[in-house]
Amino acid sequence: MASPETMLIPFCWGFIGILLLLIIVPFARGKSDLITSWNLFLLGSINYVGIAGLNAGNFPELFRVLEYSRADYVDFITGVMAFFISLVLVYHYFKFPRKMAGRTMRKWPPGTPAVLYFILAVSIGMAVLSLSPPPIPGVRQIIAQLGNKAIVLAVAVSFAAWFRDRTNPILIGTLIVVVMLSLLLAIAAGGGRRTMLGVVAAIPICLYWFMLRYRSFTYNAIVFGTLGALSFLLLLGYSQVRHFDRRGENTERSLANSASALLKLPTTKFDATALNSMLGQNSVQFSLAAIHLYRHDHETEPFHAIYYVSTNWIPRIFWENKPIGLGYTLPKTAQARGTRATWGPGIVGHGYHEGGWPMLVFYAVLVASSLRYLDELIVREPRNAYLLAAFAAMSGHIFGWTRGDIGTFTIQIIGAVLVLLLLGILGRVFFGTGVVYPRTDGPEFVNRNLFALRRKPLAQPSPTDFAWVHKQEVKD
């Protein structure tokens, strides 16, 4: 009789194939865009469910922490199917997020140079402050969380300004300085791979929505296939050097140590450990651990992730026993030895920790609604540099959402939204409202629905059709 883990192999190959079709076919047919939060989430799911499942099936002894039964593997497959079938149905057929997108996030500051440098000053100031936040309970944590999101927003808004006037030497210099400083701050602030991914993804995300979405399927496939491969190599190298501040003599997070880490990237040698760290990260093994533990030996905790997210803002000094994420408690519950790291329990592990497949359906509704709302906003405001900046800031966390801890990743996504709202409010307070959506002066308004965009590329927009153009300038 075949060992139970072998059932993962054909299931995960089928899972990867179906999700790839969900990404490629709609884009190839002109029914949806390529760079969306939906596609990013599916790519992350391919990695942290599909590839991780293949690792668990082909190498079952690697990072096995418990002895799993056949029922554990059946429950994992059942959980995956419950979550992703619900996810697809809600994303495509639930109309409420689309209606909300048409009524919210419509007013933004103008795109004048004064606003640009004001936004950059606030963003970079927040990022620098996050390196050494004031020792005030609550304030320290908030600044640290918002600072590594502001790093990414600075890249996106400076790129948007340069894209409008690509021969302006001041904007060229600003973009170069901001990108280099953001790479350093991404390491120094301790945001990990996801912050670095946001910095790397900011320019391709803006470039796609400003221009490349109007090009052919083949053109985009080549461009983003190449960019994806280069980004993967960069992040793989970063995985090798990102813990530089925890070893040896360099124990301080600083821009100097961050620069030293970046300089090591060209000579970094990749190994199997780094590759495994990028692909799958054992999330299926940890999902199986959660399934096994909470099916047999421990009580489930319904809505634990919701409770954790809603109470996380309260400083622990005021509430010593406030909820802790499953990624932190699972290794202790499993009595794993020799590790101080948190685990990524995977979306399925979270579901069984909280009660089983009905909780996975519940979370599928929340996740799909959030993704659809964000995608609808971007389709309605494709030149909105502020919105694209927030999307870039949360991109790494959307990609890793299915790995978990889902509560921690949700907090990071909310942090990107808070930075977006903060910058938008400050910009409007000091400079007034300059752009009001929906705008009707660009080719994207030929089709506003995400699933009826185009069957052939739209006409290339004019240089005056970007979010950084003041409304009055468009009228003139």
Side-chain angles (χ1 to χ4, degrees), residues 322-384:
K322 77 174 185 177
I324 300 174
L326 178 63
Y328 181 82
T329 61
L330 185 59
K332 296 176 174 59
T333 305
Q335 298 181 349
R337 298 180 179 180
T339 178
R340 292 183 298 172
T342 57
W343 287 357
I347 186 65
V348 177
H350 280 280
Y352 281 92
H353 166 242
E354 299 189 21
W357 67 263
M359 290 304 304
L360 286 166
V361 172
F362 169 74
Y363 283 118
V365 172
L366 295 184
V367 171
S369 298
S370 301
L371 296 175
R372 186 58 191 260
Y373 173 72
L374 176 59
D375 286 342
E376 284 289 337
L377 278 178
I378 295 174
V379 165
R380 294 166 188 266
E381 307 175 23
R383 304 297 187 291
N384 187 338

Side-chain angles (χ1 to χ4, degrees), residues 114-183:
V115 177
L116 165 66
Y117 287 103
F118 172 79
I119 295 295
L120 289 180
V122 174
S123 300
I124 295 174
M126 291 173 62
V128 172
L129 185 61
S130 70
L131 298 180
S132 183
I136 303 173
V139 175
R140 179 184 181 89
Q141 288 77 11
I142 291 173
I143 291 176
Q145 290 293 337
L146 299 186
N148 58 39
K149 315 301 181 299
I151 295 170
V152 183
L153 268 77
V155 176
V157 295
S158 59
F159 176 80
W162 166 81
F163 196 87
R164 177 192 170 193
D165 187 0
R166 279 164 270 184
T167 60
N168 187 319
I170 296 177
L171 295 179
I172 293 172
T174 299
L175 177 61
I176 294 173
V177 170
V178 168
V179 169
M180 296 305 299
L181 183 58
S182 295
L183 288 172

Side-chain angles (χ1 to χ4, degrees), residues 104-418:
T104 55
M105 298 283 193
R106 296 175 58 187
K107 297 181 180 180
W108 300 92
T112 60
V115 177
L116 165 66
Y117 287 103
F118 172 79
I119 295 295
L120 289 180
V122 174
S123 300
I124 295 174
M126 291 173 62
V128 172
L129 185 61
S130 70
L131 298 180
S132 183
I136 303 173
V139 175
R140 179 184 181 89
Q141 288 77 11
I142 291 173
I143 291 176
Q145 290 293 337
L146 299 186
N148 58 39
K149 315 301 181 299
I151 295 170
V152 183
L153 268 77
V155 176
V157 295
S158 59
F159 176 80
W162 166 81
F163 196 87
R164 177 192 170 193
D165 187 0
R166 279 164 270 184
T167 60
N168 187 319
I170 296 177
L171 295 179
I172 293 172
T174 299
L175 177 61
I176 294 173
V177 170
V178 168
V179 169
M180 296 305 299
L181 183 58
S182 295
L183 288 172
L184 295 176
L185 288 170
I187 298 177
R193 275 186 300 252
R194 295 184 298 278
T195 300
M196 180 63 76
L197 178 60
V199 172
V200 172
I203 290 178
I205 286 173
C206 290
L207 189 63
Y208 173 81
W209 284 98
F210 288 170
M211 180 179 70
L212 294 182
R213 73 188 295 241
Y214 304 100
R215 304 297 292 267
S216 68
F217 167 82
T218 303
Y219 188 91
N220 274 282
I222 294 173
V223 169
F224 283 97
T226 303
L227 289 175
L230 293 175
S231 298
F232 179 82
L233 291 175
L234 175 63
L235 293 173
L236 186 61
Y238 176 61
S239 295
Q240 299 282 80
V241 302
R242 70 189 183 108
H243 296 304
F244 73 96
D245 58 328
R246 302 179 189 174
R247 302 169 183 165
E249 298 179 358
N250 291 332
T251 58
E252 179 186 0
R253 290 190 184 277
S254 65
L255 293 181
N257 285 346
S258 299
S260 175
L262 285 178
L263 292 174
K264 293 178 181 178
L265 288 179
T267 58
T268 299
K269 296 180 180 180
F270 304 138
D271 55 29
T273 302
L275 187 61
N276 181 67
S277 179
M278 288 290 292
L279 295 177
Q281 296 191 334
N282 314 305
S283 57
V284 168
Q285 289 281 29
F286 298 148
S287 288
L288 290 167
I291 291 170
H292 185 85
L293 290 169
Y294 291 99
R295 282 182 68 252
H296 300 291
D297 305 321
H298 299 272
E299 291 185 3
T300 58
E301 300 180 75
F303 305 103
H304 175 268
I306 300 293
Y307 192 37
Y308 171 63
V309 170
S310 62
T311 60
N312 186 262
W313 62 276
I314 304 174
R316 194 166 295 278
I317 192 174
F318 300 131
W319 185 7
E320 184 177 355
N321 296 319
K322 77 174 185 177
I324 300 174
L326 178 63
Y328 181 82
T329 61
L330 185 59
K332 296 176 174 59
T333 305
Q335 298 181 349
R337 298 180 179 180
T339 178
R340 292 183 298 172
T342 57
W343 287 357
I347 186 65
V348 177
H350 280 280
Y352 281 92
H353 166 242
E354 299 189 21
W357 67 263
M359 290 304 304
L360 286 166
V361 172
F362 169 74
Y363 283 118
V365 172
L366 295 184
V367 171
S369 298
S370 301
L371 296 175
R372 186 58 191 260
Y373 173 72
L374 176 59
D375 286 342
E376 284 289 337
L377 278 178
I378 295 174
V379 165
R380 294 166 188 266
E381 307 175 23
R383 304 297 187 291
N384 187 338
Y386 303 102
L387 189 59
L388 294 175
F391 176 32
M394 64 180 73
S395 60
H397 309 292
I398 292 174
F399 181 84
W401 220 348
T402 49
R403 176 200 172 212
D405 186 298
I406 61 171
T408 301
F409 280 50
T410 300
I411 290 169
Q412 301 298 322
I413 292 170
I414 292 173
V417 175
L418 291 178

